[in-house]
PDB file of all heavy atoms in Angstrom:
ATOM      1  N   VAL D 194      41.836  41.163  62.655  1.00 98.00           N
ATOM      2  CA  VAL D 194      41.577  41.722  63.984  1.00 98.00           C
ATOM      3  C   VAL D 194      40.220  41.265  64.540  1.00 98.00           C
ATOM      4  O   VAL D 194      39.197  41.387  63.855  1.00 98.00           O
ATOM      5  CB  VAL D 194      41.581  43.273  63.927  1.00 98.00           C
ATOM      6  CG1 VAL D 194      41.433  43.864  65.321  1.00 98.00           C
ATOM      7  CG2 VAL D 194      42.856  43.800  63.273  1.00 98.00           C
ATOM      8  N   LEU D 195      40.247  40.781  65.759  1.00 98.00           N
ATOM      9  CA  LEU D 195      39.000  40.489  66.464  1.00 98.00           C
ATOM     10  C   LEU D 195      38.804  41.553  67.542  1.00 98.00           C
ATOM     11  O   LEU D 195      39.669  41.749  68.390  1.00 98.00           O
ATOM     12  CB  LEU D 195      39.073  39.096  67.120  1.00 98.00           C
ATOM     13  CG  LEU D 195      37.905  38.728  68.034  1.00 98.00           C
ATOM     14  CD1 LEU D 195      36.582  38.701  67.273  1.00 98.00           C
ATOM     15  CD2 LEU D 195      38.141  37.365  68.699  1.00 98.00           C
ATOM     16  N   VAL D 196      37.666  42.247  67.474  1.00 98.00           N
ATOM     17  CA  VAL D 196      37.353  43.248  68.502  1.00 98.00           C
ATOM     18  C   VAL D 196      36.249  42.682  69.393  1.00 98.00           C
ATOM     19  O   VAL D 196      35.146  42.396  68.912  1.00 98.00           O
ATOM     20  CB  VAL D 196      36.873  44.582  67.869  1.00 98.00           C
ATOM     21  CG1 VAL D 196      36.557  45.601  68.957  1.00 98.00           C
ATOM     22  CG2 VAL D 196      37.908  45.137  66.909  1.00 98.00           C
ATOM     23  N   ALA D 197      36.549  42.495  70.665  1.00 98.00           N
ATOM     24  CA  ALA D 197      35.534  42.031  71.615  1.00 98.00           C
ATOM     25  C   ALA D 197      35.091  43.225  72.458  1.00 98.00           C
ATOM     26  O   ALA D 197      35.930  43.904  73.068  1.00 98.00           O
ATOM     27  CB  ALA D 197      36.108  40.936  72.504  1.00 98.00           C
ATOM     28  N   GLU D 198      33.819  43.491  72.459  1.00 98.00           N
ATOM     29  CA  GLU D 198      33.266  44.642  73.204  1.00 98.00           C
ATOM     30  C   GLU D 198      32.184  44.122  74.134  1.00 98.00           C
ATOM     31  O   GLU D 198      31.232  43.489  73.699  1.00 98.00           O
ATOM     32  CB  GLU D 198      32.698  45.671  72.210  1.00 98.00           C
ATOM     33  CG  GLU D 198      31.832  46.754  72.833  1.00 98.00           C
ATOM     34  CD  GLU D 198      32.526  47.535  73.963  1.00 98.00           C
ATOM     35  OE1 GLU D 198      33.537  48.180  73.686  1.00 98.00           O
ATOM     36  OE2 GLU D 198      32.028  47.483  75.119  1.00 98.00           O
ATOM     37  N   ARG D 199      32.320  44.432  75.408  1.00 98.00           N
ATOM     38  CA  ARG D 199      31.351  43.827  76.318  1.00 98.00           C
ATOM     39  C   ARG D 199      30.017  44.563  76.381  1.00 98.00           C
ATOM     40  O   ARG D 199      29.024  44.005  76.825  1.00 98.00           O
ATOM     41  CB  ARG D 199      31.943  43.605  77.701  1.00 98.00           C
ATOM     42  CG  ARG D 199      32.263  44.831  78.481  1.00 98.00           C
ATOM     43  CD  ARG D 199      32.787  44.392  79.836  1.00 98.00           C
ATOM     44  NE  ARG D 199      33.401  45.498  80.535  1.00 98.00           N
ATOM     45  CZ  ARG D 199      34.167  45.360  81.601  1.00 98.00           C
ATOM     46  NH1 ARG D 199      34.420  44.170  82.095  1.00 98.00           N
ATOM     47  NH2 ARG D 199      34.677  46.412  82.187  1.00 98.00           N
ATOM     48  N   ARG D 200      29.990  45.795  75.940  1.00 98.00           N
ATOM     49  CA  ARG D 200      28.689  46.470  75.842  1.00 98.00           C
ATOM     50  C   ARG D 200      27.944  45.937  74.608  1.00 98.00           C
ATOM     51  O   ARG D 200      28.530  45.227  73.794  1.00 98.00           O
ATOM     52  CB  ARG D 200      28.887  47.977  75.680  1.00 98.00           C
ATOM     53  CG  ARG D 200      29.445  48.640  76.926  1.00 98.00           C
ATOM     54  CD  ARG D 200      29.567  50.148  76.720  1.00 98.00           C
ATOM     55  NE  ARG D 200      30.238  50.754  77.859  1.00 98.00           N
ATOM     56  CZ  ARG D 200      30.738  51.991  77.855  1.00 98.00           C
ATOM     57  NH1 ARG D 200      30.642  52.755  76.780  1.00 98.00           N
ATOM     58  NH2 ARG D 200      31.331  52.484  78.929  1.00 98.00           N
ATOM     59  N   SER D 201      26.705  46.380  74.471  1.00 98.00           N
ATOM     60  CA  SER D 201      25.893  45.910  73.344  1.00 98.00           C
ATOM     61  C   SER D 201      26.071  46.804  72.121  1.00 98.00           C
ATOM     62  O   SER D 201      25.326  46.704  71.161  1.00 98.00           O
ATOM     63  CB  SER D 201      24.424  45.884  73.760  1.00 98.00           C
ATOM     64  OG  SER D 201      24.048  47.195  74.147  1.00 98.00           O
ATOM     65  N   HIS D 202      27.039  47.713  72.170  1.00 98.00           N
ATOM     66  CA  HIS D 202      27.231  48.642  71.049  1.00 98.00           C
ATOM     67  C   HIS D 202      28.695  49.021  70.906  1.00 98.00           C
ATOM     68  O   HIS D 202      29.478  48.871  71.851  1.00 98.00           O
ATOM     69  CB  HIS D 202      26.379  49.900  71.262  1.00 98.00           C
ATOM     70  CG  HIS D 202      26.740  50.631  72.530  1.00 98.00           C
ATOM     71  ND1 HIS D 202      27.901  51.367  72.653  1.00 98.00           N
ATOM     72  CD2 HIS D 202      26.123  50.690  73.738  1.00 98.00           C
ATOM     73  CE1 HIS D 202      27.956  51.868  73.889  1.00 98.00           C
ATOM     74  NE2 HIS D 202      26.906  51.463  74.568  1.00 98.00           N
ATOM     75  N   ILE D 203      29.036  49.566  69.723  1.00 98.00           N
ATOM     76  CA  ILE D 203      30.393  50.071  69.477  1.00 98.00           C
ATOM     77  C   ILE D 203      30.464  51.552  69.886  1.00 98.00           C
ATOM     78  O   ILE D 203      29.441  52.157  70.219  1.00 98.00           O
ATOM     79  CB  ILE D 203      30.766  49.919  67.984  1.00 98.00           C
ATOM     80  CG1 ILE D 203      29.706  50.611  67.095  1.00 98.00           C
ATOM     81  CG2 ILE D 203      30.905  48.445  67.619  1.00 98.00           C
ATOM     82  CD1 ILE D 203      30.034  50.596  65.611  1.00 98.00           C
ATOM     83  N   GLY D 204      31.662  52.129  69.861  1.00 98.00           N
ATOM     84  CA  GLY D 204      31.818  53.573  70.090  1.00 98.00           C
ATOM     85  C   GLY D 204      32.304  53.952  71.474  1.00 98.00           C
ATOM     86  O   GLY D 204      32.646  55.109  71.711  1.00 98.00           O
ATOM     87  N   GLY D 205      32.307  52.988  72.416  1.00 98.00           N
ATOM     88  CA  GLY D 205      32.748  53.309  73.776  1.00 98.00           C
ATOM     89  C   GLY D 205      31.931  54.457  74.343  1.00 98.00           C
ATOM     90  O   GLY D 205      30.716  54.540  74.107  1.00 98.00           O
ATOM     91  N   ASN D 206      32.579  55.349  75.033  1.00 98.00           N
ATOM     92  CA  ASN D 206      31.854  56.458  75.652  1.00 98.00           C
ATOM     93  C   ASN D 206      31.433  57.527  74.645  1.00 98.00           C
ATOM     94  O   ASN D 206      30.711  58.455  74.999  1.00 98.00           O
ATOM     95  CB  ASN D 206      32.702  57.088  76.757  1.00 98.00           C
ATOM     96  CG  ASN D 206      32.754  56.204  77.983  1.00 98.00           C
ATOM     97  OD1 ASN D 206      31.970  55.258  78.109  1.00 98.00           O
ATOM     98  ND2 ASN D 206      33.680  56.490  78.883  1.00 98.00           N
ATOM     99  N   ALA D 207      31.876  57.409  73.404  1.00 98.00           N
ATOM    100  CA  ALA D 207      31.464  58.385  72.394  1.00 98.00           C
ATOM    101  C   ALA D 207      30.156  57.956  71.706  1.00 98.00           C
ATOM    102  O   ALA D 207      29.622  58.694  70.873  1.00 98.00           O
ATOM    103  CB  ALA D 207      32.562  58.549  71.351  1.00 98.00           C
ATOM    104  N   TYR D 208      29.647  56.798  72.085  1.00 98.00           N
ATOM    105  CA  TYR D 208      28.416  56.253  71.474  1.00 98.00           C
ATOM    106  C   TYR D 208      27.265  57.260  71.514  1.00 98.00           C
ATOM    107  O   TYR D 208      27.022  57.903  72.532  1.00 98.00           O
ATOM    108  CB  TYR D 208      28.025  55.001  72.265  1.00 98.00           C
ATOM    109  CG  TYR D 208      26.685  54.413  71.941  1.00 98.00           C
ATOM    110  CD1 TYR D 208      26.467  53.724  70.753  1.00 98.00           C
ATOM    111  CD2 TYR D 208      25.623  54.536  72.840  1.00 98.00           C
ATOM    112  CE1 TYR D 208      25.228  53.173  70.464  1.00 98.00           C
ATOM    113  CE2 TYR D 208      24.383  53.968  72.558  1.00 98.00           C
ATOM    114  CZ  TYR D 208      24.193  53.294  71.363  1.00 98.00           C
ATOM    115  OH  TYR D 208      22.968  52.751  71.092  1.00 98.00           O
TER     116      TYR D 208
END
Side-chain angles (χ1 to χ4, degrees):
V194 185
L195 173 62
V196 180
E198 167 55 62
R199 68 178 167 194
R200 291 182 186 165
S201 59
H202 60 74
I203 55 176
N206 286 346
Y208 171 73

